[in-house]
Amino acid sequence: MPKRRQKNGAIQIAMSAPRPPFFIVGSPRSGTTLLQKMFEAHPDVCFVHESQFLHMCDLYLQETSSIFSSVSWNKIWPHYLKSHHFLQQGIPPDQITTYTEGANENNWPLPWIEMLGLQQKRAGRPVLGEKTPHHVLYLETIFRLFPDSRALFLVRDPRAVVPSMVKAGFGPSSAKKAMVQWATLTACGIGYHRRYPDRILPINYESLVRDAPGTLQRLCDFLELPYHEGMLKYHELPEDKTLAAEDWKKGVRQPVYLSSLEHWKNILPHSDIHMIENHCAVLMDFLGYRLEYPEIFPKLFSRAWTIAMFAWKAARAALAVRNILSRQSYGNQALGLFEVLSSGRKLFTPFDPSAS
């Protein structure tokens, strides 16, 4: 059963576990599933695959409440019970005992935490990981619920992410929408990293592919977890039925391959490359990605677009009076965009394709 702690007048909820959980977050199609499978090959780690709980709660609150209406906290869990994301966990609803306690603004995540604990108990491993890319938007809530937890924030070149998103057949239906999603989720991760530098480790997909042993060693050190060479043999694990049904994730069933780093050059139209760079040049430069077309226009246009996005996200955060998840999500997106605009540093060493 989860334990509750009272601190500064607010209820904190934490699982009874020997080790705090950790979370893999970032933009979808950025390599989060690959990283999850690598950790699943570690003998001490078990994983909850894309519970999507906080993201679904945020979307539900956006649909059912506003600055003029109250929040129906007690309806959040029944809404989640009907979702595919809960059903794929394989846990009977009647095992979630905290669901019957009655939800309010403090204890509404309690059933989700109990679900994570049940998954860990069923797996019988000391360290729990949870991978939901969109949970990069809600790390403030995650860190409040799990005071000692940490997060791995995965970043990938948007020119690789965008066509992969569109091809997957879910989520964004166009390259422009996928580009905006990549930019906002990535900016949110940057914003949270500015606030919690000791609890969030940014890592780029390119480093993971080019030097898997060294990168995994670094991640394990950050999580205070002993490195295990079996993590490199993740593709030899028994087939995951959940992933087997998702054809767009077939890449995690084979070893890492360097050709994935620049595959986008063969499949992405030049018009889409221009579109992505025109909007994301400032953010890409902060992340160490070189432009394919480094003219002056993309940088000027991108700076103006990033400033407009910052203003829009800050306004959305101010308007999310009752929805605490949206408020922290938009607020940290704005903070991340501000960091990109104002900082003279880079988050990663510039990526050199010739070194692959």
Side-chain angles (χ1 to χ4, degrees), residues 259-345:
S259 60
S260 66
L261 297 181
E262 295 200 290
H263 181 57
W264 57 267
K265 290 186 177 181
N266 301 321
I267 61 173
L268 196 61
H270 291 291
S271 58
D272 285 346
I273 296 175
H274 277 290
M275 183 271 297
I276 294 169
E277 294 186 356
N278 285 348
H279 290 80
C280 299
V282 173
L283 187 51
M284 291 172 66
D285 181 65
F286 181 81
L287 297 172
Y289 295 113
R290 292 185 173 90
L291 301 183
E292 190 77 356
Y293 304 105
E295 300 94 348
I296 189 66
F297 176 76
K299 296 179 181 179
L300 293 175
F301 183 88
S302 176
R303 189 165 188 84
W305 183 78
T306 306
I307 292 172
M309 286 284 287
F310 162 75
W312 173 239
K313 298 301 181 180
R316 290 293 301 269
L319 291 173
V321 177
R322 297 183 182 274
N323 185 345
I324 58 174
L325 293 174
S326 282
R327 189 165 66 245
Q328 65 181 250
S329 166
Y330 289 121
N332 283 281
Q333 288 175 45
L335 180 62
L337 292 168
F338 177 80
E339 174 78 356
V340 169
L341 289 165
S342 62
S343 176
R345 66 183 181 91

Coordinates of all heavy atoms in Angstrom, one line a residue, residues 259-345:
S259 N 22.9 3.5 -38.7 CA 22.2 4.1 -39.9 C 20.9 4.8 -39.5 O 20.4 5.7 -40.2 CB 21.8 3.0 -40.9 OG 21.0 2.0 -40.3
S260 N 20.4 4.6 -38.3 CA 19.2 5.3 -37.8 C 19.5 6.8 -37.5 O 18.5 7.5 -37.5 CB 18.7 4.6 -36.5 OG 19.6 4.8 -35.4
L261 N 20.8 7.1 -37.4 CA 21.1 8.5 -37.0 C 20.7 9.5 -38.1 O 20.3 10.6 -37.8 CB 22.5 8.6 -36.6 CG 23.0 7.8 -35.4 CD1 24.5 8.1 -35.1 CD2 22.1 8.1 -34.2
E262 N 20.9 9.1 -39.3 CA 20.7 10.1 -40.4 C 19.8 9.5 -41.5 O 19.7 10.0 -42.6 CB 22.0 10.5 -41.1 CG 22.9 11.3 -40.1 CD 24.0 12.1 -40.8 OE1 24.9 11.4 -41.4 OE2 23.8 13.3 -40.9
H263 N 19.0 8.5 -41.1 CA 18.0 7.9 -42.0 C 17.0 9.0 -42.5 O 16.5 8.9 -43.6 CB 17.3 6.8 -41.3 CG 16.3 6.1 -42.2 ND1 16.6 5.5 -43.4 CD2 14.9 5.9 -42.0 CE1 15.5 5.0 -43.9 NE2 14.5 5.2 -43.1
W264 N 16.8 10.0 -41.7 CA 15.8 11.0 -42.1 C 16.2 11.7 -43.4 O 15.3 12.2 -44.1 CB 15.7 12.1 -41.0 CG 16.9 12.8 -40.6 CD1 17.8 12.4 -39.6 CD2 17.5 14.0 -41.1 NE1 18.8 13.3 -39.5 CE2 18.7 14.2 -40.4 CE3 17.1 14.8 -42.2 CZ2 19.5 15.3 -40.7 CZ3 17.9 15.9 -42.5 CH2 19.1 16.2 -41.8
K265 N 17.5 11.8 -43.7 CA 17.9 12.4 -45.0 C 17.4 11.7 -46.2 O 17.3 12.3 -47.3 CB 19.4 12.5 -45.0 CG 20.1 13.5 -44.0 CD 21.6 13.6 -44.2 CE 22.1 14.6 -43.3 NZ 23.6 14.8 -43.4
N266 N 17.1 10.4 -46.1 CA 16.6 9.6 -47.2 C 15.1 9.6 -47.3 O 14.6 9.2 -48.4 CB 17.1 8.2 -47.1 CG 18.6 8.1 -47.0 OD1 19.3 8.8 -47.7 ND2 19.2 7.2 -46.2
I267 N 14.4 10.0 -46.3 CA 13.0 9.9 -46.3 C 12.2 11.2 -46.1 O 11.0 11.3 -46.5 CB 12.5 8.9 -45.2 CG1 12.9 9.4 -43.8 CG2 13.1 7.5 -45.4 CD1 12.3 8.5 -42.7
L268 N 12.9 12.2 -45.6 CA 12.2 13.5 -45.3 C 12.3 14.4 -46.5 O 13.4 14.7 -46.9 CB 12.8 14.1 -44.1 CG 12.0 15.2 -43.4 CD1 10.7 14.7 -42.9 CD2 12.8 15.8 -42.2
P269 N 11.2 14.9 -47.0 CA 11.2 15.8 -48.2 C 12.0 17.1 -47.8 O 12.0 17.5 -46.6 CB 9.8 16.1 -48.4 CG 9.0 15.0 -47.8 CD 9.8 14.5 -46.6
H270 N 12.6 17.7 -48.8 CA 13.4 19.0 -48.5 C 12.5 20.0 -47.9 O 12.9 20.8 -47.1 CB 14.1 19.4 -49.8 CG 15.2 18.6 -50.2 ND1 16.4 18.4 -49.5 CD2 15.3 17.7 -51.3 CE1 17.2 17.6 -50.2 NE2 16.5 17.1 -51.2
S271 N 11.2 20.0 -48.4 CA 10.3 21.1 -47.9 C 10.1 20.9 -46.4 O 9.9 21.9 -45.6 CB 9.0 21.0 -48.6 OG 8.4 19.7 -48.5
D272 N 10.0 19.6 -45.9 CA 9.8 19.4 -44.5 C 11.1 19.7 -43.7 O 11.0 20.2 -42.5 CB 9.4 17.9 -44.2 CG 8.0 17.7 -44.6 OD1 7.2 18.6 -44.8 OD2 7.6 16.5 -44.7
I273 N 12.2 19.5 -44.3 CA 13.5 19.8 -43.6 C 13.6 21.3 -43.4 O 13.9 21.8 -42.3 CB 14.7 19.3 -44.4 CG1 14.7 17.8 -44.4 CG2 16.0 19.9 -43.7 CD1 15.8 17.2 -45.3
H274 N 13.2 22.1 -44.5 CA 13.2 23.5 -44.4 C 12.2 24.0 -43.3 O 12.5 24.9 -42.5 CB 12.8 24.1 -45.7 CG 13.9 24.3 -46.7 ND1 15.0 25.2 -46.5 CD2 14.3 23.6 -47.8 CE1 15.8 25.1 -47.5 NE2 15.4 24.2 -48.3
M275 N 11.0 23.4 -43.3 CA 10.0 23.8 -42.3 C 10.4 23.6 -40.9 O 10.3 24.4 -40.1 CB 8.7 23.0 -42.6 CG 7.5 23.3 -41.7 SD 7.4 22.4 -40.2 CE 7.2 20.7 -40.8
I276 N 11.0 22.4 -40.6 CA 11.5 22.1 -39.3 C 12.6 23.1 -38.9 O 12.6 23.6 -37.8 CB 12.0 20.6 -39.2 CG1 10.8 19.7 -39.4 CG2 12.7 20.4 -37.9 CD1 11.2 18.2 -39.6
E277 N 13.6 23.3 -39.7 CA 14.7 24.2 -39.4 C 14.3 25.6 -39.3 O 14.8 26.4 -38.5 CB 15.8 24.0 -40.4 CG 16.4 22.6 -40.4 CD 17.6 22.5 -41.3 OE1 17.9 23.4 -42.0 OE2 18.3 21.4 -41.3
N278 N 13.3 26.1 -40.1 CA 12.8 27.4 -40.0 C 12.2 27.7 -38.7 O 12.3 28.8 -38.2 CB 11.8 27.7 -41.1 CG 12.4 27.9 -42.5 OD1 13.7 28.0 -42.6 ND2 11.6 27.8 -43.5
H279 N 11.5 26.7 -38.1 CA 10.9 26.9 -36.8 C 11.8 26.6 -35.6 O 11.7 27.2 -34.6 CB 9.6 26.1 -36.7 CG 8.5 26.5 -37.6 ND1 8.5 26.2 -39.0 CD2 7.4 27.3 -37.4 CE1 7.4 26.8 -39.5 NE2 6.7 27.4 -38.6
C280 N 12.6 25.5 -35.8 CA 13.3 25.0 -34.6 C 14.8 25.2 -34.6 O 15.5 24.7 -33.8 CB 13.1 23.5 -34.5 SG 11.3 23.0 -34.4
A281 N 15.3 26.1 -35.5 CA 16.7 26.4 -35.5 C 17.3 26.8 -34.2 O 18.4 26.3 -33.8 CB 17.0 27.4 -36.6
V282 N 16.6 27.7 -33.5 CA 17.2 28.1 -32.2 C 17.2 26.9 -31.2 O 18.2 26.8 -30.5 CB 16.3 29.3 -31.6 CG1 16.7 29.6 -30.2 CG2 16.4 30.5 -32.5
L283 N 16.2 26.2 -31.1 CA 16.1 25.0 -30.2 C 17.1 23.9 -30.6 O 17.8 23.4 -29.8 CB 14.7 24.5 -30.2 CG 14.3 23.3 -29.2 CD1 14.8 23.7 -27.8 CD2 12.9 23.0 -29.3
M284 N 17.2 23.7 -31.9 CA 18.2 22.7 -32.4 C 19.6 23.1 -32.1 O 20.5 22.3 -31.7 CB 18.0 22.5 -33.9 CG 16.7 21.8 -34.3 SD 16.4 21.8 -36.1 CE 17.8 20.7 -36.6
D285 N 19.9 24.4 -32.2 CA 21.3 24.9 -31.9 C 21.6 24.7 -30.4 O 22.7 24.3 -30.1 CB 21.4 26.4 -32.3 CG 22.8 26.9 -32.0 OD1 23.7 26.5 -32.6 OD2 22.9 27.8 -31.1
F286 N 20.6 25.0 -29.6 CA 20.7 24.7 -28.1 C 21.0 23.3 -27.8 O 21.8 23.0 -26.9 CB 19.5 25.2 -27.4 CG 19.5 25.0 -25.9 CD1 20.2 26.0 -25.1 CD2 18.9 24.0 -25.3 CE1 20.2 25.8 -23.7 CE2 19.0 23.8 -23.9 CZ 19.6 24.8 -23.1
L287 N 20.5 22.4 -28.6 CA 20.6 20.9 -28.4 C 21.8 20.4 -29.2 O 22.1 19.2 -29.0 CB 19.3 20.2 -28.8 CG 18.1 20.6 -28.0 CD1 16.9 19.9 -28.7 CD2 18.2 20.1 -26.6
G288 N 22.5 21.2 -29.9 CA 23.7 20.7 -30.6 C 23.5 20.1 -32.0 O 24.4 19.4 -32.5
Y289 N 22.3 20.3 -32.6 CA 22.1 19.8 -33.9 C 22.4 20.8 -35.0 O 21.9 21.9 -34.9 CB 20.6 19.3 -34.0 CG 20.3 18.2 -33.1 CD1 19.4 18.3 -32.0 CD2 20.9 16.9 -33.3 CE1 19.1 17.3 -31.2 CE2 20.6 15.8 -32.5 CZ 19.7 16.0 -31.4 OH 19.4 15.0 -30.6
R290 N 23.2 20.4 -36.0 CA 23.6 21.3 -37.1 C 22.4 21.4 -38.1 O 21.8 20.4 -38.4 CB 24.9 20.9 -37.7 CG 26.1 21.0 -36.8 CD 27.4 20.7 -37.6 NE 28.6 21.0 -36.8 CZ 29.1 20.1 -36.0 NH1 28.6 18.9 -35.8 NH2 30.2 20.4 -35.3
L291 N 22.3 22.6 -38.7 CA 21.2 22.7 -39.7 C 21.7 22.2 -41.0 O 22.9 22.3 -41.4 CB 20.9 24.2 -39.8 CG 20.3 24.9 -38.6 CD1 19.9 26.4 -38.9 CD2 19.2 24.2 -38.0
E292 N 20.8 21.7 -41.8 CA 21.1 21.2 -43.1 C 21.2 22.4 -44.1 O 21.9 22.4 -45.0 CB 20.0 20.2 -43.6 CG 20.3 19.5 -44.9 CD 21.3 18.4 -44.7 OE1 21.8 18.2 -43.6 OE2 21.6 17.7 -45.7
Y293 N 20.4 23.4 -43.8 CA 20.4 24.7 -44.6 C 20.6 25.9 -43.7 O 19.7 26.5 -43.2 CB 19.0 24.8 -45.3 CG 18.7 23.6 -46.2 CD1 17.7 22.7 -45.8 CD2 19.3 23.4 -47.4 CE1 17.4 21.6 -46.5 CE2 19.0 22.3 -48.2 CZ 18.0 21.4 -47.7 OH 17.7 20.4 -48.5
P294 N 21.9 26.1 -43.3 CA 22.2 27.2 -42.3 C 22.2 28.6 -42.8 O 23.1 29.3 -42.6 CB 23.6 26.7 -41.8 CG 24.2 26.1 -43.1 CD 23.1 25.4 -43.8
E295 N 21.1 29.0 -43.5 CA 21.0 30.4 -44.0 C 20.6 31.2 -42.8 O 20.2 30.8 -41.7 CB 20.0 30.5 -45.1 CG 20.4 29.7 -46.4 CD 19.7 28.3 -46.4 OE1 19.1 27.9 -45.3 OE2 19.7 27.7 -47.4
I296 N 20.6 32.5 -43.0 CA 20.3 33.5 -41.9 C 18.8 33.5 -41.7 O 18.4 33.6 -40.5 CB 20.8 34.9 -42.3 CG1 20.6 35.8 -41.1 CG2 20.0 35.5 -43.5 CD1 21.5 35.5 -39.9
F297 N 18.0 33.2 -42.7 CA 16.5 33.3 -42.5 C 16.0 32.3 -41.4 O 15.2 32.7 -40.6 CB 15.8 33.1 -43.8 CG 14.3 33.1 -43.7 CD1 13.6 34.2 -43.5 CD2 13.6 31.9 -43.7 CE1 12.2 34.2 -43.3 CE2 12.2 31.8 -43.5 CZ 11.5 33.0 -43.4
P298 N 16.4 31.0 -41.5 CA 15.9 30.1 -40.5 C 16.1 30.6 -39.1 O 15.3 30.4 -38.2 CB 16.6 28.8 -40.8 CG 17.0 28.9 -42.2 CD 17.3 30.3 -42.4
K299 N 17.3 31.1 -38.8 CA 17.6 31.5 -37.4 C 16.8 32.7 -37.0 O 16.3 32.8 -35.9 CB 19.1 31.9 -37.3 CG 20.0 30.6 -37.6 CD 21.5 31.0 -37.5 CE 22.3 29.8 -37.8 NZ 23.8 30.0 -37.7
L300 N 16.6 33.7 -37.9 CA 15.8 34.9 -37.6 C 14.3 34.5 -37.4 O 13.6 34.9 -36.4 CB 15.9 35.9 -38.6 CG 17.3 36.6 -38.8 CD1 17.3 37.5 -40.0 CD2 17.6 37.4 -37.5
F301 N 13.8 33.7 -38.3 CA 12.4 33.3 -38.2 C 12.2 32.4 -37.0 O 11.2 32.5 -36.3 CB 12.0 32.5 -39.5 CG 10.5 32.1 -39.5 CD1 9.6 32.9 -40.0 CD2 10.1 30.9 -39.0 CE1 8.2 32.6 -40.1 CE2 8.8 30.5 -39.0 CZ 7.9 31.3 -39.5
S302 N 13.1 31.5 -36.8 CA 13.0 30.6 -35.6 C 13.0 31.3 -34.3 O 12.3 31.0 -33.4 CB 14.1 29.6 -35.6 OG 14.1 28.7 -34.5
R303 N 13.8 32.4 -34.2 CA 13.8 33.2 -33.0 C 12.5 33.8 -32.7 O 12.0 33.9 -31.6 CB 15.0 34.2 -33.0 CG 15.2 34.9 -31.6 CD 16.5 35.6 -31.6 NE 16.8 36.1 -30.2 CZ 17.3 35.3 -29.3 NH1 17.6 34.1 -29.5 NH2 17.5 35.8 -28.0
A304 N 11.9 34.4 -33.8 CA 10.6 35.0 -33.7 C 9.5 34.0 -33.3 O 8.7 34.3 -32.4 CB 10.3 35.8 -35.0
W305 N 9.6 32.9 -33.9 CA 8.6 31.8 -33.6 C 8.8 31.3 -32.2 O 7.8 31.1 -31.5 CB 8.8 30.6 -34.6 CG 7.8 29.5 -34.4 CD1 6.5 29.5 -34.9 CD2 8.0 28.3 -33.7 NE1 5.9 28.3 -34.5 CE2 6.8 27.5 -33.9 CE3 9.1 27.7 -33.1 CZ2 6.7 26.2 -33.3 CZ3 9.0 26.4 -32.6 CH2 7.8 25.7 -32.7
T306 N 10.0 31.2 -31.7 CA 10.2 30.7 -30.3 C 9.7 31.7 -29.3 O 9.2 31.4 -28.3 CB 11.7 30.4 -30.1 OG1 12.2 29.5 -31.1 CG2 12.0 29.8 -28.8
I307 N 9.9 33.0 -29.6 CA 9.4 34.1 -28.7 C 7.9 34.0 -28.7 O 7.3 34.2 -27.6 CB 9.9 35.5 -29.2 CG1 11.4 35.6 -29.0 CG2 9.2 36.6 -28.5 CD1 12.1 36.8 -29.6
A308 N 7.3 33.9 -29.8 CA 5.8 33.8 -29.9 C 5.3 32.6 -29.1 O 4.3 32.6 -28.4 CB 5.3 33.7 -31.3
M309 N 6.0 31.4 -29.2 CA 5.6 30.2 -28.5 C 5.8 30.5 -27.0 O 5.0 30.0 -26.2 CB 6.5 29.1 -28.9 CG 6.1 28.5 -30.3 SD 4.6 27.5 -30.3 CE 5.3 26.0 -29.5
F310 N 6.9 31.1 -26.6 CA 7.1 31.4 -25.2 C 5.9 32.2 -24.6 O 5.4 31.9 -23.5 CB 8.4 32.2 -25.0 CG 8.5 32.9 -23.7 CD1 8.8 32.2 -22.5 CD2 8.3 34.3 -23.6 CE1 8.8 32.9 -21.3 CE2 8.4 34.9 -22.4 CZ 8.7 34.2 -21.2
A311 N 5.5 33.3 -25.3 CA 4.4 34.1 -24.9 C 3.1 33.3 -24.8 O 2.3 33.5 -23.8 CB 4.3 35.3 -25.8
W312 N 2.9 32.5 -25.8 CA 1.6 31.7 -25.8 C 1.6 30.7 -24.6 O 0.6 30.5 -24.0 CB 1.5 31.0 -27.1 CG 0.4 30.0 -27.3 CD1 0.5 28.6 -27.5 CD2 -1.0 30.2 -27.1 NE1 -0.7 28.0 -27.6 CE2 -1.6 29.0 -27.4 CE3 -1.7 31.3 -26.9 CZ2 -3.0 28.8 -27.3 CZ3 -3.1 31.2 -26.8 CH2 -3.8 30.0 -27.0
K313 N 2.7 30.0 -24.4 CA 2.7 29.0 -23.3 C 2.6 29.7 -21.9 O 2.0 29.2 -21.0 CB 4.0 28.2 -23.4 CG 4.2 27.4 -24.7 CD 3.1 26.4 -24.9 CE 3.3 25.6 -26.1 NZ 2.1 24.6 -26.4
A314 N 3.2 30.9 -21.8 CA 3.1 31.6 -20.5 C 1.7 32.0 -20.3 O 1.2 31.9 -19.1 CB 4.0 32.8 -20.5
A315 N 1.0 32.5 -21.3 CA -0.4 32.8 -21.2 C -1.3 31.6 -20.9 O -2.2 31.7 -20.0 CB -0.9 33.5 -22.5
R316 N -1.0 30.5 -21.5 CA -1.8 29.3 -21.2 C -1.6 28.9 -19.7 O -2.5 28.4 -19.1 CB -1.4 28.2 -22.1 CG -1.8 28.3 -23.6 CD -3.3 28.3 -23.8 NE -3.9 27.0 -23.3 CZ -4.1 25.9 -24.1 NH1 -3.7 26.0 -25.4 NH2 -4.7 24.8 -23.6
A317 N -0.4 29.0 -19.2 CA -0.1 28.6 -17.8 C -0.9 29.5 -16.9 O -1.4 29.1 -15.9 CB 1.4 28.7 -17.5
A318 N -1.0 30.8 -17.2 CA -1.7 31.8 -16.4 C -3.2 31.5 -16.4 O -3.9 31.7 -15.3 CB -1.4 33.2 -16.8
L319 N -3.7 31.0 -17.5 CA -5.2 30.7 -17.6 C -5.6 29.4 -17.0 O -6.8 29.2 -16.7 CB -5.6 30.8 -19.0 CG -5.5 32.2 -19.7 CD1 -5.8 32.0 -21.2 CD2 -6.5 33.1 -19.1
A320 N -4.6 28.5 -16.8 CA -4.9 27.2 -16.2 C -5.1 27.2 -14.7 O -4.3 26.6 -14.0 CB -3.9 26.1 -16.6
V321 N -6.1 27.9 -14.3 CA -6.2 28.2 -12.8 C -6.6 26.9 -12.0 O -6.0 26.7 -11.0 CB -7.3 29.3 -12.6 CG1 -7.5 29.5 -11.1 CG2 -7.0 30.6 -13.3
R322 N -7.5 26.1 -12.6 CA -8.0 25.0 -11.8 C -7.2 23.7 -12.2 O -7.2 22.7 -11.4 CB -9.5 24.8 -12.1 CG -10.3 25.9 -11.5 CD -11.8 25.6 -11.7 NE -12.6 26.8 -11.3 CZ -13.0 26.9 -10.0 NH1 -12.7 26.1 -9.1 NH2 -13.8 28.0 -9.7
N323 N -6.7 23.6 -13.4 CA -6.0 22.4 -13.8 C -4.5 22.5 -13.5 O -3.7 23.1 -14.2 CB -6.2 22.3 -15.4 CG -5.6 20.9 -15.9 OD1 -4.8 20.3 -15.2 ND2 -5.9 20.6 -17.1
I324 N -4.1 21.9 -12.4 CA -2.7 22.0 -11.9 C -1.8 21.3 -12.9 O -0.6 21.7 -13.0 CB -2.6 21.3 -10.5 CG1 -3.0 19.9 -10.5 CG2 -3.4 22.1 -9.5 CD1 -2.7 19.2 -9.2
L325 N -2.2 20.3 -13.6 CA -1.3 19.6 -14.6 C -1.0 20.5 -15.7 O 0.1 20.6 -16.2 CB -2.0 18.3 -15.0 CG -2.1 17.2 -13.9 CD1 -2.9 16.0 -14.4 CD2 -0.7 16.8 -13.4
S326 N -2.0 21.1 -16.3 CA -1.8 22.1 -17.4 C -1.0 23.3 -17.0 O -0.1 23.7 -17.7 CB -3.1 22.6 -18.0 OG -3.7 21.6 -18.8
R327 N -1.2 23.7 -15.8 CA -0.5 24.9 -15.3 C 1.0 24.6 -15.2 O 1.8 25.4 -15.7 CB -1.0 25.3 -13.9 CG -0.5 26.7 -13.4 CD -1.3 27.2 -12.3 NE -1.1 26.4 -11.1 CZ -2.2 25.7 -10.5 NH1 -3.4 25.7 -11.1 NH2 -2.0 25.0 -9.4
Q328 N 1.4 23.5 -14.7 CA 2.8 23.2 -14.6 C 3.4 22.8 -16.0 O 4.5 23.1 -16.2 CB 3.1 22.0 -13.6 CG 2.5 20.7 -14.0 CD 2.8 19.6 -12.9 OE1 3.5 18.7 -13.1 NE2 2.1 19.7 -11.8
S329 N 2.6 22.2 -16.8 CA 3.0 21.8 -18.1 C 3.4 23.0 -19.0 O 4.5 23.2 -19.5 CB 2.0 21.0 -18.8 OG 2.2 20.9 -20.2
Y330 N 2.4 24.0 -19.1 CA 2.6 25.2 -19.9 C 3.7 26.1 -19.3 O 4.5 26.7 -20.0 CB 1.3 25.9 -20.1 CG 0.4 25.2 -21.0 CD1 -0.9 24.8 -20.6 CD2 0.7 24.9 -22.3 CE1 -1.8 24.2 -21.4 CE2 -0.2 24.3 -23.2 CZ -1.4 23.9 -22.7 OH -2.3 23.3 -23.6
G331 N 3.7 26.1 -17.9 CA 4.7 27.0 -17.3 C 6.1 26.5 -17.5 O 7.0 27.3 -17.8
N332 N 6.3 25.2 -17.5 CA 7.7 24.7 -17.8 C 8.0 24.7 -19.2 O 9.2 24.7 -19.6 CB 7.8 23.3 -17.1 CG 8.0 23.4 -15.6 OD1 9.1 23.7 -15.1 ND2 6.9 23.2 -14.9
Q333 N 7.0 24.6 -20.1 CA 7.3 24.8 -21.5 C 7.8 26.2 -21.8 O 8.8 26.4 -22.5 CB 6.1 24.6 -22.4 CG 5.7 23.1 -22.5 CD 4.3 22.9 -23.2 OE1 4.1 23.5 -24.2 NE2 3.4 22.1 -22.6
A334 N 7.2 27.2 -21.1 CA 7.6 28.6 -21.3 C 9.0 28.8 -20.7 O 9.8 29.5 -21.2 CB 6.6 29.5 -20.6
L335 N 9.3 28.2 -19.5 CA 10.6 28.3 -18.9 C 11.7 27.7 -19.8 O 12.7 28.3 -19.9 CB 10.6 27.6 -17.5 CG 11.9 27.6 -16.7 CD1 12.3 29.0 -16.4 CD2 11.7 26.7 -15.5
G336 N 11.4 26.5 -20.4 CA 12.3 25.9 -21.3 C 12.6 26.8 -22.5 O 13.8 26.9 -22.9
L337 N 11.6 27.4 -23.1 CA 11.8 28.3 -24.2 C 12.6 29.5 -23.8 O 13.4 30.0 -24.6 CB 10.4 28.6 -24.8 CG 9.7 27.5 -25.5 CD1 8.2 27.9 -25.8 CD2 10.4 27.0 -26.8
F338 N 12.3 30.0 -22.6 CA 13.1 31.2 -22.2 C 14.6 30.8 -22.0 O 15.5 31.6 -22.3 CB 12.5 31.7 -20.8 CG 13.3 32.8 -20.2 CD1 13.2 34.1 -20.7 CD2 14.2 32.5 -19.2 CE1 13.9 35.1 -20.1 CE2 14.9 33.6 -18.6 CZ 14.8 34.9 -19.1
E339 N 14.8 29.6 -21.5 CA 16.2 29.1 -21.3 C 16.9 29.0 -22.7 O 18.1 29.4 -22.8 CB 16.2 27.7 -20.6 CG 17.5 27.0 -20.5 CD 18.4 27.6 -19.4 OE1 18.0 28.6 -18.8 OE2 19.5 27.0 -19.2
V340 N 16.2 28.5 -23.7 CA 16.8 28.4 -25.0 C 17.1 29.8 -25.6 O 18.2 30.0 -26.2 CB 15.8 27.6 -25.9 CG1 16.3 27.7 -27.4 CG2 15.7 26.2 -25.5
L341 N 16.2 30.7 -25.4 CA 16.4 32.1 -25.9 C 17.4 32.9 -25.2 O 18.1 33.7 -25.9 CB 15.0 32.9 -25.9 CG 13.9 32.4 -26.8 CD1 12.6 33.0 -26.4 CD2 14.3 32.8 -28.3
S342 N 17.6 32.7 -23.9 CA 18.5 33.5 -23.1 C 19.8 32.9 -22.8 O 20.8 33.7 -22.5 CB 17.8 33.9 -21.8 OG 17.5 32.7 -21.1
S343 N 20.0 31.6 -22.9 CA 21.2 31.0 -22.5 C 22.2 31.0 -23.6 O 21.9 30.7 -24.8 CB 20.9 29.5 -22.1 OG 22.1 28.9 -21.8
G344 N 23.5 31.2 -23.3 CA 24.5 31.2 -24.3 C 25.2 29.8 -24.4 O 26.1 29.6 -25.2
R345 N 24.7 28.9 -23.6 CA 25.3 27.5 -23.6 C 24.6 26.6 -24.5 O 23.5 26.9 -25.0 CB 25.4 27.0 -22.1 CG 24.0 26.7 -21.6 CD 24.0 26.2 -20.1 NE 22.7 25.9 -19.6 CZ 22.1 24.7 -19.7 NH1 22.8 23.7 -20.2 NH2 20.9 24.5 -19.2

